[in-house]
Amino acid sequence: MKMQHVFFDLDNTLWDHRRNAYLTIKDLFEKQDITSKYHIDFEEFHSVYHDINEDLWEKIRDGIIGKEYLREHRFYDSFMHFGVDNKELALYFEENFLDNIVSHNELVDGAEDVLEYLKAKNYTLHIISNGFQEVTERKCSLSGIAPYFKTITSADAVGVRKPNPRIFEYSLGLSEARKEESILIGDDWIADAMGATDFGMDAIFFDVYKEEKQKDGLKAITHLHQIKDYL
């Protein structure tokens, strides 16, 4: 069956969350004069935050915690690592992080070119994101990529996150697509590559960190332009 629908993960697949989060946290760090007040180096703080945030998102993906736990802990635990027990400060970072991150809208290298390429080849494009609904929609809109997509599905709308098959079922129903004519492209091995494959969809693993996890002949790329080798 001919491939007709291309589903993308959003964060770190098209929208450069790592870069945009880095810039946002750096802005907040400077506004609050954290280095002078607490003698914390920003690069060290960001490294700690990154590891804590990634771990919390994995726990959300695996159904161990909810998003409220993540929002309460990612900055609080990061500051606690440096001996700063200040819930008010952590809350300031959390609230302003979500408000301000969409003021930075850098895309992953090659994203717009690939979207134009797929559009020109008459593929119907969609988003399936594990992120928060309101933030996902703002990221797509403010970065200018929203018009490329027929549907945008966020985990909040379904109540489960990838790799849970219900989110794939929901998104395919919304898009009026069949799994046999659909493919998912994403950077998370478990949520995207394994999630789609176990659901019965074709998948391309965006191996950003060159993890070399290709198994059973699964398609894999290290740059978005390589999508053209498959579609």
Side-chain angles (χ1 to χ4, degrees):
M1 185 174 291
K2 183 182 177 182
M3 199 65 65
Q4 297 183 33
H5 296 267
V6 181
F7 292 80
F8 280 94
D9 171 57
L10 182 62
D11 286 346
N12 299 318
T13 299
L14 294 173
W15 197 84
D16 196 343
H17 185 273
R18 294 181 187 92
R19 179 61 179 165
N20 295 325
Y22 175 92
L23 294 171
T24 304
I25 297 169
K26 189 174 184 181
D27 288 344
L28 297 174
F29 210 80
E30 292 172 352
K31 286 179 181 177
Q32 289 297 305
D33 202 18
I34 300 298
T35 299
S36 296
K37 290 179 181 176
Y38 302 104
H39 308 290
I40 303 173
D41 176 74
F42 171 72
E43 296 297 337
E44 290 182 21
F45 178 86
H46 181 264
S47 178
V48 168
Y49 165 83
H50 175 78
D51 290 344
I52 288 173
N53 188 55
E54 289 290 303
D55 179 66
L56 290 171
W57 272 108
E58 287 178 6
K59 289 177 179 175
I60 282 184
R61 179 197 67 201
D62 297 339
I64 298 170
I65 63 172
K67 70 176 184 179
E68 291 307 318
Y69 185 92
L70 174 139
R71 295 189 63 179
E72 289 173 9
H73 283 270
R74 57 180 169 185
F75 285 107
Y76 179 73
D77 291 358
S78 299
F79 279 112
M80 279 296 292
H81 176 86
F82 295 94
V84 178
D85 185 356
N86 189 328
K87 290 187 176 180
E88 185 178 342
L89 179 64
L91 181 61
Y92 167 86
F93 266 75
E94 179 61 34
E95 291 180 344
N96 285 276
F97 175 75
L98 291 177
D99 286 341
N100 295 341
I101 192 170
V102 289
S103 64
H104 298 285
N105 280 290
E106 294 193 24
L107 297 173
V108 173
D109 187 37
E112 287 185 284
D113 178 59
V114 163
L115 292 174
E116 278 293 330
Y117 166 82
L118 294 172
K119 180 182 176 182
K121 295 197 73 173
N122 294 316
Y123 288 103
T124 305
L125 308 182
H126 312 272
I127 292 285
I128 307 179
S129 172
N130 271 359
F132 306 140
Q133 180 78 31
E134 66 279 8
V135 179
T136 297
E137 292 177 355
R138 289 174 68 194
K139 287 175 179 177
C140 291
S141 177
L142 294 174
S143 66
I145 63 174
Y148 288 103
F149 302 103
K150 180 181 178 183
T151 66
I152 297 175
T153 299
S154 290
D156 288 3
V158 192
V160 297
R161 287 175 161 75
K162 296 174 292 183
N164 191 304
R166 283 174 51 204
I167 191 170
F168 296 103
E169 192 73 57
Y170 176 91
S171 189
L172 261 67
L174 190 66
S175 61
E176 300 179 329
R178 289 184 288 182
K179 64 176 72 176
E180 297 84 4
E181 60 187 17
S182 304
I183 190 168
L184 176 77
I185 301 164
D187 71 303
D188 189 303
W189 174 256
I190 295 174
D192 298 316
M194 291 295 93
T197 301
D198 290 345
F199 176 67
M201 281 176 65
D202 201 355
I204 297 175
F205 175 47
F206 184 17
D207 193 5
V208 180
Y209 292 115
K210 299 178 176 61
E211 298 175 72
E212 299 182 354
K213 288 184 177 179
Q214 298 92 308
K215 298 177 182 178
D216 301 324
L218 184 70
K219 303 175 182 69
I221 59 174
T222 56
H223 191 284
L224 288 178
H225 283 149
Q226 294 170 329
I227 289 173
K228 298 177 183 180
D229 295 336
Y230 296 109
L231 295 171

